[in-house]
Amino acid sequence: MSHNLHKCTCPRHTAIKIDNLSVTLNSVKILRNITAAVPRGVCTAIVGPNGAGKSTLVKAILNEISYSGTISFGQDDGSFGSHPPRWGYVPQKLNFDRAMPITALEFMIASQSRRPLFLGSSRKLQDKCLALLHEVEAPHTANRQLGKLSGGELQRILLATAILQEPQILVLDEVASGVDFQGEKLCCGLLEKFRRERKFTQLMISHDLATVAAHAAHVICLNHSLVAAGHPAEVLTEENLRAAFGMHARTPIIAAHKEICICSEQD
């Protein structure tokens, strides 16, 4: 029997299952009774206005803050469990001393090596990092100081560093923020390429509804509570966007997302 991935929540085809999740910080309820699922192997976007709780939801998923309710992960044995996947994370921006004398290649190596950089690194790790720099179309940055890179170049280094972790779930926080249109297009294209080749699940926070409509196959729309979740065409409607963002939200053009999962009682 064939099910739309947006409706299927079986363990084999669900990366993250969220049940009745609430978060209270400093006596303020940030999230209320969120129940949603993140399908395995596709791009899910979390959208909502500023202060809606998007980053809070991701921090709860990453177990960085306390919450009530349950978060479970689809396991390879076909069950849900609390054992977390291998994470990759691309922040919106990297806070660091731009005068720090570290190159892009050294930054990537440091993310994987337990040894201090001055003791050197293995040729195998260096080659792996250099190969990823080629894949993100930034080989020219290898020996350039990290603080000298443009916003788009730095974003590609952060993406390559996250992919280096060989993640099962890659989390991205406003990944296209601060880069120009061509940089955003390149970054989204690279993400789709990596996701399809390496079979990870992509979970991204975004305020850009046009980018979400073009690249996400699944959307979770929040404004402290769940507004809607599912296929972009079902979620990014005028009614839902008005409920989440207010009167001035525009309905974006939705790309065709045809991903389905195949489930049966014998699966």
Side-chain angles (χ1 to χ4, degrees):
M1 182 168 57
S2 176
H3 291 280
N4 190 299
L5 66 85
H6 312 283
K7 310 300 180 185
C8 173
T9 55
C10 81
R12 291 190 186 278
H13 302 114
T14 303
I16 307 169
K17 187 179 180 183
I18 304 162
D19 289 304
N20 200 31
L21 182 140
S22 296
V23 176
T24 300
L25 299 173
N26 299 320
S27 300
V28 177
K29 200 135 193 178
I30 307 298
L31 292 174
R32 297 185 293 270
N33 306 320
I34 305 295
T35 295
V38 175
R40 187 188 295 266
V42 300
C43 174
T44 291
I46 302 174
V47 303
N50 290 336
K54 302 185 297 295
S55 294
T56 299
L57 177 59
V58 168
K59 287 177 181 178
I61 290 170
L62 295 173
N63 201 30
E64 293 181 353
I65 58 174
S66 299
Y67 59 87
S68 63
T70 60
I71 297 173
S72 53
F73 306 98
Q75 308 293 322
D76 291 337
D77 64 1
S79 66
F80 282 109
S82 59
H83 182 70
R86 288 191 308 276
W87 298 105
Y89 181 69
V90 182
Q92 181 176 355
K93 61 181 179 179
L94 183 66
N95 294 317
F96 69 105
D97 181 0
R98 287 190 168 271
M100 182 171 55
I102 184 173
T103 67
L105 179 60
E106 289 170 339
F107 174 79
M108 292 182 66
I109 290 170
S111 75
Q112 288 284 292
S113 178
R114 296 179 180 179
R115 302 174 61 189
L117 282 173
F118 66 82
L119 292 178
S121 59
S122 71
R123 171 53 62 182
K124 182 178 179 181
L125 178 56
Q126 290 183 44
D127 289 345
K128 190 174 181 179
C129 292
L130 287 169
L132 273 170
L133 286 176
H134 278 275
E135 287 197 65
V136 298
E137 301 181 25
H140 60 285
T141 66
N143 296 313
R144 288 182 57 192
Q145 186 176 327
L146 200 66
K148 304 286 187 182
L149 302 182
S150 69
E153 288 172 330
L154 186 56
Q155 201 64 272
R156 279 181 263 173
I157 302 307
L158 294 175
L159 174 57
T161 303
I163 297 298
L164 192 60
Q165 315 301 319
E166 298 182 356
Q168 293 169 303
I169 301 179
L170 180 64
V171 179
L172 307 110
D173 187 355
E174 300 282 7
V175 68
S177 179
V179 300
D180 59 22
F181 174 76
Q182 290 301 323
E184 176 184 334
K185 185 177 178 181
L186 174 63
C187 193
C188 289
L190 288 170
L191 277 167
E192 185 164 345
K193 169 182 173 290
F194 281 127
R195 178 173 54 77
R196 292 185 183 279
E197 290 178 352
R198 298 171 185 249
K199 310 298 183 185
F200 58 74
T201 299
Q202 180 180 337
L203 180 63
M204 69 177 186
I205 299 171
S206 182
H207 72 282
D208 188 337
L209 295 181
T211 297
V212 169
H215 297 283
H218 190 81
V219 179
I220 297 171
C221 183
L222 299 176
N223 194 352
H224 300 292
S225 58
L226 183 70
V227 175
H231 190 283
E234 298 175 352
V235 175
L236 302 179
T237 64
E238 183 177 352
E239 180 181 3
N240 288 336
L241 295 180
R242 188 183 299 117
F245 291 90
M247 294 296 292
H248 301 294
R250 294 183 178 180
T251 304
I253 298 172
I254 308 295
H257 297 288
K258 299 178 181 179
E259 292 99 334
I260 60 172
C261 68
I262 306 300
C263 292
S264 70
E265 293 181 0
Q266 291 77 36
D267 190 15

